[in-house]
Amino acid sequence: MSKTLKECRIPPKKRELFLQMGIETSEDLLSYYPFRYEQLQCKPYDEWKTKDRIVIEARLITYPRSFRFKGSRTMTKFQVENEDDVFDIVIFNRPWASKMELGQTLTIIGNYEGNRKITAIQYNTKPLNEQLGIQPVYSLKYGLTQKNIHECITRCYETVRNEIADDVPSEYIRRYRLLHKRDALRMMHFPKSNEEVAQAIRTLKYEEFLKFHLAIQLIRKQNSESVLKEGKHFDFDDVFRLANHLPFPLTKDQVKAVNDILEDLQSQKIMYRLVQGDVGCGKTVVAGLAMYACCLAKKQAALLAPTEILAKQHYQSMKNLLKSTNLRIEVLYSALPTVIKKDILERLKNGEIDILVGTHSLIQPDVGFKQLGFVVADEQHRFGVEQRRKLIEKGDKVDFLLMTATPIPRTLANTLYGDMDITTIETMPAGRKEVKTVLVQENSFRHVLDEVVSKIEEGRQVYVVCSAIEESESINVRNVLTIYDNLKKAFKGIAKVGVLHGKMSSEEKEEIMREFDKNEIQILVSTTVIEVGVNVVNATLMIIYDAHRFGLSQLHQLRGRVQRGTEQGICYLLTDSQDENSLERLRVLVNTNTGFEISAEDLRLRGPGDILGTRQSGLPAFLLGNLVEDTKIIETTKKDCLEILQHAEEKENSQLIQKIVQLNMNALTTMD
């Protein structure tokens, strides 16, 4: 079915814009689904109520005037006449509206503000009677309008509709009374009723989940059929002897996780395991014991961290954890002096380093191991599958462990990470207090000032988190640099204020974190670079500006920074948002401290996009499917997927399997 956008008669300028959105073919464009539908119904004026969504056909009777405010934002005002009524229209960020001609007939869709005033959402010159009924509404990017997208999708569909084939085998189309793909796409983009939309969504969701399960199963099959490795030889007792001498006891889930991993290391099957657990559940200790086991088997281990700060922290943690052993541990990152780097690389190749901790530097071509046997990747969503593969290829049949602190409920994990073995750590170490989270519906430091002063007087430290580094005309949020300047003045003589953000050099970031760790800085103003793994036990207070701009799981990660010791941590969420959905999301954090519940709620409220982003493996994305709401379709398609693989020789099944292999080449390396 797939044709180029040029073959679909899409104009060159529009093609360029679509390419920027990752839309290259007719299949891509027809998969750019509406995010909602509008039911356009024309109601008489005397039935309008304030805040109603209305549609009106009227004649322009005054020249539009545009006003600029807040940088590049604009507001355009004009009047229209409809029969005997005159209406005042305001439309935002449509400066070209000022070029309309008097007497033009317009169709205006907007919100009624009362007193014959309308805030327009969109307008066009198409006759109203041609627009009534159900209308798709698309997400707009790069200056494209609803009209542009609708016209391009119409051209595309007309060009290819007779060539649109079904991916779902006909047996399942009959079994579940699904639509043919051609009809489903027509009903998505050009529906005649809500019933048609519902039918189309049901069909396309089924196809999405079926393809996803097939990709997952093919990867799992490939992993299980790949060349067997030689199991690593070590004694479980030696590993647990070290664990028993730690200054704290392992939780029951940590013990189970260590056992799972040690069994994988000793087996002939190459390990591909995910360890998921909440912030502070002790995943790093589990990884350290696993790497110790690998080294007992005379193999080298590597720990891949997403940031330099976290790499150094893991390095220190491993030194402390394994100090009673004679293991040689080093850390590698790009800012290291050349002479030190060279020495590390030489010793690594000679087998004089047992455990190497590092950032993306580990995957550079000049990094060579003598006998790499085990790789651990922390916060795996920061790494693409290609980067992971490059590191694994530095050894022979290397075992691989992924760790994530963004846990998702087990049933969802089994769907999303079905190609992996999953270990979940739910029990938390004893003595940890849950962070107390307070929602403040005001984006101002004033409300928390007394609390900050009190904590500093107690000798404690404070994080202040902003979503932006510097001031921007396009977005109205508190930024790191302005807040830093303000707090520096406000706390002069009381506390030292530091600043940390992604644009700073590695050396600058390292120095700031060293000073904060030693309590030479009491207030650290930062972006989300502190989100993962930063461990300053003395910091027990966090203030997050514009909290509504962050995802729930990200906020949960952030507040985990003030849950590192036995003292009570407090996190203030500041927001001036009036949006009830945003406030509902933030109240979830106030009411629960469990990462599993929070990520499930994040999925429910925001959809699966964020969580899916963690895979970065080229697996099919869910454009329509929802991991929380579509459990029945998920279970059905999982069963059907296994049935298709059992009868892979049948023509339609074989064609679908081959298509999945083609679509997922970067996740499926060698499929016969």
Side-chain angles (χ1 to χ4, degrees):
M1 155 189 136
S2 242
K3 288 186 180 291
T4 64
L5 297 184
K6 186 177 181 180
E7 289 173 313
C8 294
R9 300 174 294 118
I10 307 299
K13 286 185 179 176
K14 302 292 185 298
R15 289 205 302 268
E16 285 175 29
L17 296 175
F18 282 126
L19 284 172
Q20 289 179 54
M21 294 160 65
I23 294 172
E24 300 177 7
T25 66
S26 58
E27 194 164 3
D28 296 337
L29 185 52
L30 293 177
S31 298
Y32 192 69
Y33 301 132
F35 72 93
R36 65 181 172 85
Y37 294 85
E38 279 186 344
Q39 192 81 39
L40 287 186
Q41 293 176 316
C42 197
K43 286 197 296 187
Y45 169 63
D46 57 12
E47 292 180 20
W48 292 5
K49 294 183 180 65
T50 305
K51 299 302 175 192
D52 271 1
R53 174 66 57 88
I54 58 93
V55 57
I56 181 177
E57 189 174 63
R59 193 168 57 86
L60 184 68
I61 60 170
T62 65
Y63 285 107
R65 290 177 300 147
S66 286
F67 307 90
R68 195 171 291 277
F69 68 102
K70 280 192 181 179
S72 59
R73 299 190 70 191
T74 62
M75 174 174 66
T76 305
K77 293 183 172 184
F78 53 91
Q79 286 186 322
V80 295
E81 182 181 52
N82 170 262
E83 296 173 355
D84 298 327
D85 296 309
V86 173
F87 296 94
D88 294 314
I89 312 294
V90 172
I91 189 163
F92 292 95
N93 301 323
R94 304 284 201 287
W96 55 85
S98 59
K99 294 185 169 57
M100 291 188 293
E101 297 175 7
L102 286 183
Q104 259 188 307
T105 299
L106 305 172
T107 294
I108 295 165
I109 300 165
N111 297 320
Y112 184 52
E113 308 295 350
N115 201 25
R116 288 186 169 76
K117 289 181 167 57
I118 298 170
T119 299
I121 295 165
Q122 57 173 289
Y123 72 91
N124 59 59
T125 55
K126 193 174 172 183
L128 175 58
N129 61 4
E130 292 179 20
Q131 302 182 67
L132 294 176
I134 188 165
Q135 298 290 326
V137 180
Y138 297 91
S139 176
L140 299 178
K141 294 179 183 175
Y142 304 108
L144 286 164
T145 65
Q146 294 294 337
K147 185 181 177 185
N148 294 155
I149 293 175
H150 195 268
E151 284 176 353
C152 291
I153 286 175
T154 302
R155 287 186 180 197
C156 183
Y157 184 76
E158 286 175 352
T159 304
V160 301
R161 67 178 165 189
N162 293 327
E163 301 165 37
I164 299 173
D166 292 319
D167 287 330
V168 176
S170 52
E171 160 66 23
Y172 302 97
I173 292 175
R174 281 194 301 274
R175 188 183 295 179
Y176 303 116
R177 296 187 178 88
L178 301 174
L179 299 171
H180 291 290
K181 179 84 173 264
R182 178 181 58 198
D183 299 328
L185 289 173
R186 197 274 298 162
M187 291 179 191
M188 278 299 285
H189 296 292
F190 318 106
K192 293 172 183 170
S193 65
N194 288 321
E195 289 72 29
E196 283 200 345
V197 173
Q199 277 184 284
I201 289 174
R202 179 174 169 270
T203 294
L204 295 169
K205 273 186 181 182
Y206 178 91
E207 183 189 303
E208 273 187 12
F209 282 119
L210 185 67
K211 286 179 173 178
F212 181 83
H213 284 306
L214 279 166
I216 288 283
Q217 289 302 321
L218 289 170
I219 294 168
R220 176 164 272 244
K221 184 168 179 278
Q222 176 183 270
N223 290 342
S224 64
E225 288 179 355
S226 59
V227 182
L228 296 176
K229 72 173 200 283
E230 185 184 337
K232 295 176 175 61
H233 302 293
F234 57 84
D235 194 327
F236 272 54
D237 289 346
D238 290 339
V239 178
F240 281 103
R241 198 171 293 118
L242 173 64
N244 291 335
H245 283 87
L246 296 174
F248 47 82
L250 296 183
T251 66
K252 67 178 179 63
D253 281 357
Q254 282 177 309
V255 171
K256 183 185 180 303
V258 172
N259 271 312
D260 286 349
I261 296 165
L262 298 189
E263 285 172 10
D264 284 352
L265 289 171
Q266 286 195 344
S267 83
Q268 290 184 298
K269 182 187 163 194
I270 295 173
M271 182 202 304
Y272 191 40
R273 181 174 292 278
L274 171 75
V275 171
Q276 61 164 5
D278 215 338
V279 179
C281 72
K283 295 182 297 298
T284 308
V285 173
V286 169
L289 292 170
M291 288 193 286
Y292 174 57
C294 174
C295 297
L296 288 175
K298 303 290 186 284
K299 300 277 188 181
Q300 293 167 299
L303 173 53
L304 191 58
T307 65
E308 194 175 303
I309 290 172
L310 193 52
K312 289 174 186 168
Q313 194 168 290
H314 276 321
Y315 168 65
Q316 207 51 57
S317 297
M318 291 305 139
K319 295 278 278 189
N320 294 337
L321 183 73
L322 304 170
K323 63 185 174 188
S324 63
T325 73
N326 59 358
L327 294 183
R328 298 156 297 183
I329 306 169
E330 288 292 352
V331 61
L332 185 69
Y333 50 90
S334 56
L336 270 177
T338 306
V339 65
I340 295 176
K341 257 194 223 172
K342 192 175 175 187
D343 175 61
I344 288 173
L345 295 179
E346 202 167 304
R347 287 191 290 130
L348 189 69
K349 280 176 186 164
N350 293 336
E352 295 165 26
I353 291 173
D354 300 299
I355 295 174
L356 183 62
V357 182
T359 58
H360 294 78
S361 302
L362 296 193
I363 65 172
Q364 298 306 314
D366 59 343
V367 178
F369 294 78
K370 186 176 184 184
Q371 269 202 312
L372 179 63
F374 183 37
V375 170
V376 181
D378 192 9
E379 288 301 318
Q380 84 280 5
H381 59 280
R382 307 292 179 94
F383 306 105
V385 70
E386 285 304 316
Q387 294 166 308
R388 298 204 296 261
R389 184 173 292 143
K390 279 178 186 171
L391 184 52
I392 291 172
E393 285 171 355
K394 290 180 183 291
D396 181 32
K397 306 180 187 73
V398 174
D399 287 311
F400 198 64
L401 179 71
L402 307 176
M403 300 196 300
T404 179
T406 309
I408 55 178
R410 196 175 274 107
T411 50
L412 296 182
N414 286 332
T415 297
L416 190 52
Y417 297 100
D419 55 322
M420 303 172 66
D421 295 307
I422 300 168
T423 296
T424 301
I425 301 177
E426 292 189 57
T427 51
M428 297 293 280
R432 288 269 170 94
K433 291 182 181 174
E434 290 188 344
V435 177
K436 180 184 172 189
T437 304
V438 181
L439 176 59
V440 179
Q441 287 181 249
E442 182 184 358
N443 210 27
S444 163
F445 206 82
R446 178 179 53 190
H447 190 94
V448 296
L449 181 60
D450 291 346
E451 183 79 37
V452 173
V453 171
S454 170
K455 287 293 177 193
I456 288 168
E457 286 174 349
E458 289 174 20
R460 297 290 170 189
Q461 290 161 275
V462 182
Y463 294 104
V464 179
V465 181
C466 304
S467 61
I469 296 175
E470 54 201 354
E471 197 169 353
S472 164
E473 285 187 352
S474 61
I475 187 166
N476 183 27
V477 294
R478 298 292 192 273
N479 67 86
V480 163
L481 299 181
T482 303
I483 295 295
Y484 168 62
D485 287 338
N486 293 345
L487 294 184
K488 211 162 48 164
K489 290 170 194 163
F491 285 88
K492 190 175 182 181
I494 302 169
K496 184 177 176 186
V497 183
V499 64
L500 187 70
H501 57 75
K503 287 188 178 177
M504 294 165 70
S505 69
S506 297
E507 292 80 6
E508 288 171 324
K509 284 190 270 192
E510 182 179 353
E511 180 59 22
I512 291 294
M513 283 311 300
R514 189 194 63 74
E515 289 180 30
F516 191 61
D517 196 35
K518 293 184 180 302
N519 201 1
E520 293 167 14
I521 288 172
Q522 287 74 49
I523 301 173
L524 182 61
V525 184
S526 173
T527 56
T528 56
V529 292
I530 59 150
E531 174 190 351
V532 175
V534 172
N535 185 19
V536 178
V537 173
N538 193 51
T540 57
L541 179 62
M542 177 175 283
I543 293 115
I544 303 176
Y545 279 104
D546 299 290
H548 61 282
R549 293 192 165 271
F550 299 89
L552 286 186
S553 296
Q554 189 175 35
L555 288 169
H556 181 59
Q557 285 278 331
L558 284 166
R559 71 176 174 181
R561 300 309 108 222
V562 292
Q563 192 187 11
R564 311 310 289 182
T566 54
E567 286 296 312
Q568 176 68 64
I570 303 174
C571 176
Y572 284 97
L573 306 174
L574 308 184
T575 178
D576 55 9
S577 174
Q578 301 299 308
D579 179 60
E580 194 48 46
N581 288 335
S582 297
L583 296 173
E584 180 196 350
R585 285 177 53 245
L586 295 177
R587 288 186 197 109
V588 170
L589 286 159
V590 175
N591 296 326
T592 182
N593 260 284
T594 308
F596 290 92
E597 289 177 30
I598 286 160
S599 58
E601 192 66 11
D602 224 358
L603 277 164
R604 187 183 72 79
L605 293 168
R606 287 158 65 99
D610 289 348
I611 301 293
L612 277 171
T614 67
R615 287 201 58 96
Q616 288 192 3
S617 63
L619 290 171
F622 300 145
L623 301 174
L624 295 169
N626 185 299
L627 286 166
V628 177
E629 295 169 1
D630 296 326
T631 49
K632 281 187 179 173
I633 298 182
I634 289 170
E635 287 307 311
T636 301
T637 48
K638 194 170 187 178
K639 175 175 64 70
D640 295 343
C641 153
L642 297 174
E643 194 173 277
I644 286 168
L645 290 171
Q646 283 169 359
H647 302 283
E649 72 287 349
E650 292 180 15
K651 187 180 176 184
E652 287 182 288
N653 294 351
S654 172
Q655 286 171 345
L656 176 56
I657 291 166
Q658 286 308 310
K659 180 161 186 174
I660 298 300
V661 171
Q662 289 295 313
L663 287 171
N664 298 283
M665 288 304 288
N666 64 336
L668 288 156
T669 49
T670 52
M671 292 295 299
D672 294 328

